[in-house]
Amino acid sequence: METESAEIKRILLLYTDRYYFVKQVYPFGLDVIAGVLRRHGYHVDIGYPFLPEPDVETNLRHLLTFSRPQLVGLGIRNLDTCMSCEPYGDFGNQAYHTFYFLPEIQQIAETLKRAAPNVPIIAGGGAFTVSPEAILRALDIQYGIIGEGEKALLRFLKAYPDQDQVRTIPGLAHLHNRGCVVNEREPYRFETGTWALSRDKQFAYAFESTGLPVRVKRGCNQQCSYCVEPIIEGREFVFREIEDVIRELEYIAQAHEEVRTLFFVDTEFNLPDLTYCTRLIHGIMEKGLHERFGFTSQFLPKPFGPGFAALLAEAGVSLILTADSFSDPVLKKNQIAYQEKDIIDVLELCDRHRIACTVSMIFGLPGETVDTLDHSLNRMKAYPPDFWRRYEYTVGGRIYEGTPLCRWVEKGGGEPHLYGERSPGYIKPYYFCSPEAPLALNTIIERELGYGIAHDNPFADHKSGALALAFRTDQGAYDAAVSTFLNSPLPVCSQGFEYLFRKLTGAGRIREARTICEHLLRALSTAQTDPRYLEQMELVRFYMGLLGP
């Protein structure tokens, strides 16, 4: 391994979000950083330490051997899921269950320090930006970057190991003389013509299963009590040139035939007003891109309106509507800038124009009482789930450092409705939930609604195995993927077959495609009593027929 005194030219960026096993969100931020660094002559690899092997240390040692990095970056997207009622959660007590990822990130950091003791480690990402000092101390590393990491990391690479230069870098957080210094960030701007064109194809499975992210602006000017987006994004809006966004969409259409859904990853697509987003959608339609892609994004109920709804419907844009609550007292208590009427107006416009809308709710925020809870549940019953509308909800407000909710709790608010552990930097799961504990409140909600929100998120072996198959395939390791397939149990083969088959045939590996078809048919024939497998047998035979004699 290189020593820290050598000029840094090789960088390994690690995506540390284990929740990828449940929802395949690819490391967009790391890909942006990698693109910038590569344009400046650096060799950059992006690695995922949880795949393809089940053992993290094995994967890390392989990545270190392959990449030979002189610096490792830890992309920390999430410390937990924010959700307090995870049926399969691995952290909590009788009041709440969640997934808590920091212990595994600590394991990654410790493995790196043992295996590559002279290689500097620098952290970054959304979760790190919220609690930089606490995370640096928890990981026992010296450096991190808050906010956007492209320029700051580039400056770090050029300055390191000169500590006088390093400590002046805008956006750098560093432990120094038993304290932590967090330098102020510089204003951000998008680089026209070069921003985020490429996508790392080793995460191509995520492009299909979750959608491909596209960024059109940064910033959030809202004051919602629980939300960290203004901390992560900054409060000032910074927009990309619309022509630049359109060029990126055209590039994606040509380079990624498999992609059908694009997700605009703004905090809320219709902020601060409808001017920019309306112009962007018109630009998309003028180029016919709405016929190539489906689009989705987060929206607030206000600003909106009939004309805007008609435009979204024509362009095929679906909504994730941040509603939180139908109770005006709860919305006001949490500094939310819209009212119940605004939510209902949007729901009715979506009904009228047949716009797919996922309504996002949070129960148990400050101000929630039995009466406000009943009010929201009755509104959900009045506007029930149907073909075009679905609901998702969380219970309790996760308390993060620097939010209005955190400041209120620190002033003595919230008792006796606090659950979890109040830790330095609030890096351990900690919730406000009223009028009951999260799990108890969730039981009431499910009983009153007559249904629950599905949490199909166990870290099951067959899902992990299928993801490992897809991961090897996306890396072009076809021989290893086929070997893994042939030696995997039936549930893994069943779930991973179609993706592997398509990739093999697309690469011209017809013999291997036929081999996995024949193997799966033999395995399915022993499990004919399961109707799911009977249906898949017909599908496999159809695929085999496409291969010819």
Side-chain angles (χ1 to χ4, degrees):
M1 199 63 58
E2 309 280 355
T3 64
E4 66 178 29
S5 60
E7 180 185 6
I8 295 176
K9 297 301 289 185
R10 301 181 63 87
I11 296 97
L12 173 62
L13 301 178
L14 292 177
Y15 185 40
T16 67
D17 190 6
R18 186 168 64 95
Y19 210 64
Y20 184 84
F21 281 95
V22 173
K23 187 174 183 180
Q24 288 77 53
V25 177
Y26 107 105
F28 185 38
L30 293 184
D31 218 351
V32 171
I33 292 171
V36 171
L37 296 183
R38 287 167 184 153
R39 288 195 293 275
H40 283 82
Y42 293 91
H43 179 94
V44 186
D45 293 311
I46 299 176
Y48 187 59
F50 300 102
L51 287 174
E53 301 297 335
D55 179 62
V56 171
E57 185 162 340
T58 298
N59 292 324
L60 281 173
R61 290 186 178 276
H62 172 76
L63 284 166
L64 291 172
T65 300
F66 171 78
S67 183
R68 294 182 292 110
Q70 296 160 294
L71 177 139
V72 177
L74 299 180
I76 306 175
R77 182 173 181 264
N78 294 310
L79 296 179
D80 53 77
T81 65
C82 302
M83 295 184 285
S84 62
C85 297
E86 297 267 19
Y88 304 96
D90 58 6
F91 188 88
N93 53 34
Q94 72 278 6
Y96 72 95
H97 281 142
T98 191
F99 288 107
Y100 183 41
F101 304 132
L102 185 58
E104 290 161 318
I105 301 172
Q106 289 172 314
Q107 178 191 353
I108 291 169
E110 288 303 313
T111 300
L112 290 172
K113 284 181 281 188
R114 287 196 309 271
N118 295 322
V119 175
I121 302 171
I122 187 166
F128 179 81
T129 297
V130 175
S131 301
E133 178 176 359
I135 293 176
L136 287 179
R137 295 190 185 283
L139 301 182
D140 191 24
I141 61 177
Q142 188 173 357
Y143 305 109
I145 293 172
I146 63 169
E148 305 82 10
E150 305 98 285
K151 291 181 180 178
L153 184 53
L154 187 60
R155 288 177 175 174
F156 183 90
L157 293 170
K158 292 178 178 179
Y160 188 84
D162 186 325
Q163 293 301 302
D164 290 335
Q165 291 188 50
V166 165
R167 289 169 186 155
T168 65
I169 295 172
L172 185 80
H174 58 101
L175 297 179
H176 180 58
N177 292 338
R178 298 186 180 179
C180 182
V181 178
V182 181
N183 297 339
E184 187 175 347
R185 296 150 66 175
E186 284 186 339
Y188 187 80
R189 69 177 182 85
F190 291 100
E191 293 186 28
T192 302
T194 60
W195 205 84
L197 279 182
S198 65
R199 297 294 193 278
D200 193 318
K201 291 191 175 182
Q202 69 174 322
F203 295 95
Y205 181 76
F207 304 166
E208 295 188 29
S209 59
T210 308
L212 194 70
V214 175
R215 169 75 74 174
V216 301
K217 70 173 183 287
R218 290 189 185 274
C220 181
N221 64 354
Q222 301 297 291
Q223 305 289 332
C224 305
S225 68
Y226 56 86
C227 189
V228 297
E229 292 299 336
I231 300 172
I232 297 170
E233 296 279 322
R235 297 192 178 276
E236 299 295 325
F237 287 101
V238 184
F239 297 92
R240 289 181 69 189
E241 294 291 336
I242 286 177
E243 294 77 11
D244 202 37
V245 178
I246 298 298
R247 281 193 292 270
E248 181 180 351
L249 301 185
E250 291 177 322
Y251 171 84
I252 293 170
Q254 295 174 358
H256 297 282
E257 183 181 351
E258 74 280 9
V259 173
R260 290 291 178 266
T261 302
L262 297 181
F263 191 95
F264 292 124
V265 292
D266 302 25
T267 49
E268 307 288 348
F269 188 66
N270 55 334
L271 287 179
D273 54 45
L274 301 182
T275 304
Y276 179 89
C277 55
T278 298
R279 287 179 53 219
L280 176 59
I281 294 173
H282 279 302
I284 287 170
M285 294 176 65
E286 287 171 7
K287 295 291 186 178
L289 291 163
H290 63 304
E291 298 173 355
R292 169 68 170 81
F293 298 114
F295 297 92
T296 188
S297 191
Q298 298 271 155
F299 289 76
L300 286 186
K302 181 181 177 181
F304 215 77
F308 186 58
L311 181 65
L312 295 177
E314 187 178 359
V317 180
S318 61
L319 279 64
I320 301 174
L321 184 68
T322 301
D324 292 346
S325 173
F326 284 95
S327 168
D328 283 341
V330 173
L331 295 173
K332 184 177 180 180
K333 176 76 172 179
N334 289 279
Q335 304 172 200
I336 294 170
Y338 51 84
Q339 297 179 320
E340 175 189 21
K341 179 183 181 301
D342 302 311
I343 302 171
I344 291 174
D345 286 348
V346 173
L347 296 183
E348 292 183 347
L349 284 169
C350 288
D351 279 350
R352 187 181 313 157
H353 292 282
R354 297 293 187 263
I355 299 172
C357 179
T358 297
V359 186
S360 179
M361 303 284 291
I362 305 176
F363 294 104
L365 289 173
E368 189 84 276
T369 64
V370 171
D371 290 341
T372 64
L373 177 66
D374 286 345
H375 182 81
S376 285
L377 294 175
N378 286 333
R379 281 289 184 261
M380 291 173 70
K381 294 173 186 176
Y383 294 89
D386 58 22
F387 182 79
W388 297 101
R389 178 169 54 244
R390 62 183 291 269
Y391 287 91
E392 60 183 23
Y393 68 78
T394 57
V395 179
R398 170 61 160 97
I399 303 167
Y400 288 109
E401 186 173 46
T403 60
L405 177 58
C406 180
R407 291 193 290 271
W408 180 64
V409 167
E410 287 178 339
K411 291 178 181 177
E415 296 291 352
H417 302 298
L418 300 175
Y419 302 92
E421 181 180 342
R422 182 170 171 175
S423 58
Y426 295 83
I427 57 176
K428 290 187 177 180
Y430 193 42
Y431 305 92
F432 176 93
C433 193
S434 170
E436 301 284 347
L439 289 173
L441 186 59
N442 189 56
T443 299
I444 294 170
I445 293 165
E446 291 184 350
R447 183 181 67 232
E448 292 300 314
L449 286 178
Y451 62 87
I453 302 299
H455 289 268
D456 186 22
N457 58 0
F459 285 81
D461 289 343
H462 72 282
K463 290 187 175 182
S464 301
L467 272 178
L469 270 176
F471 194 73
R472 292 185 192 277
T473 303
D474 288 338
Q475 291 179 315
Y478 296 116
D479 291 340
V482 170
S483 176
T484 300
F485 184 91
L486 297 177
N487 290 283
S488 294
L490 177 56
V492 173
C493 294
S494 176
Q495 184 164 336
F497 164 75
E498 187 174 357
Y499 188 77
L500 178 57
F501 178 88
R502 286 192 289 108
K503 294 298 182 178
L504 287 172
T505 54
R509 317 251 325 207
I510 305 303
R511 180 176 60 83
E512 291 93 333
R514 189 184 305 279
T515 296
I516 67 168
C517 287
E518 293 170 346
H519 175 82
L520 183 56
L521 279 176
R522 286 194 297 270
L524 289 171
S525 67
T526 66
Q528 301 183 39
T529 54
D530 190 319
R532 296 170 301 170
Y533 291 150
L534 284 172
E535 184 177 339
Q536 190 171 32
M537 286 180 72
E538 295 304 313
L539 179 65
V540 176
R541 291 191 181 104
F542 171 75
Y543 281 154
M544 279 194 71
L546 297 177
L547 299 177

